[in-house]
Amino acid sequence: MFKTLKLMAAALATAVLMAGSASALTVVSTGNSYDITSDNLFLGAATSNGGAGSYSVNFFSPIDPVLGKANASVTLNVLGTFSGLTMNWVDAATNTVLQSTAVLTGVTTLNTMFTAPNLNQNLVFNWTGSAQGVTFDFDVAAVPLPAGGLLLLTALGGLGLARRRKAA
C-alpha cells in the first residue's frame, strides 16, 4: 500500500512540474492569426471609430487535438461608452458561434476548447454603438493541460486494477 502511494505521489509531482512553464506574452492585432500553443498570454486592444463595430483575431492550434483552453476577458476602460458589446468564439471554417456572452462592466470571461474540428477559431467582439476613439482591452490565456495527464490517469487506473487483482 505504501509503495502504491509513493508511486501515485511521484506521478502527481511529475504532472505538476509538466504544467509549469515560462511566461510569454504576445500583443495581438485585428485580422491576424496566432498559434494558441505558442505563448501563455495574448494581449490586445480594440478602438472604436464611433457607432457599431467589430474586432476579430484568429487563434489556431497545430496540435490535433490540443489539450488546452483559452480564456478571454474584457475590461472596459470607459464605462458606458459601448452598447451591446458581445464576445464570441467562432469556428473559422464554418463561421459557427461556439461560445458567446455579453460583456458587462468589469471583467467578463469566455472559455473555449481547441479540439477537432474546431482547431481554428476567431475571437470576435461586436458592438451596436460606441463613442468615437474609446478602447477596451482584452487578453487570451492558453491554459494547458499537461500532456502526461492522460498517461497519469492510465497509470493510476492500472495501479488500481493491479491492487484489486492482488487483493482477490
Side-chain angles (χ1 to χ4, degrees), residues 36 68-74 87-90 97-101 107-115 118 121-123 139-143:
I36 193 73
K69 185 169 50 171
N71 302 309
S73 59
V74 176
M87 178 171 42
N88 310 283
W89 281 107
V90 179
V97 175
L98 303 172
Q99 303 290 333
S100 182
T101 190
V107 176
T108 303
T109 301
L110 185 64
N111 300 325
T112 191
M113 283 295 277
F114 287 85
T115 56
N118 304 315
Q121 298 181 29
N122 295 324
L123 177 60
D139 63 83
V140 177
V143 182

Side-chain angles (χ1 to χ4, degrees), residues 124-148:
V124 180
F125 297 95
N126 294 304
W127 55 91
T128 56
S130 63
Q132 186 171 1
V134 294
T135 301
F136 64 85
D137 300 323
F138 66 93
D139 63 83
V140 177
V143 182
L145 301 175

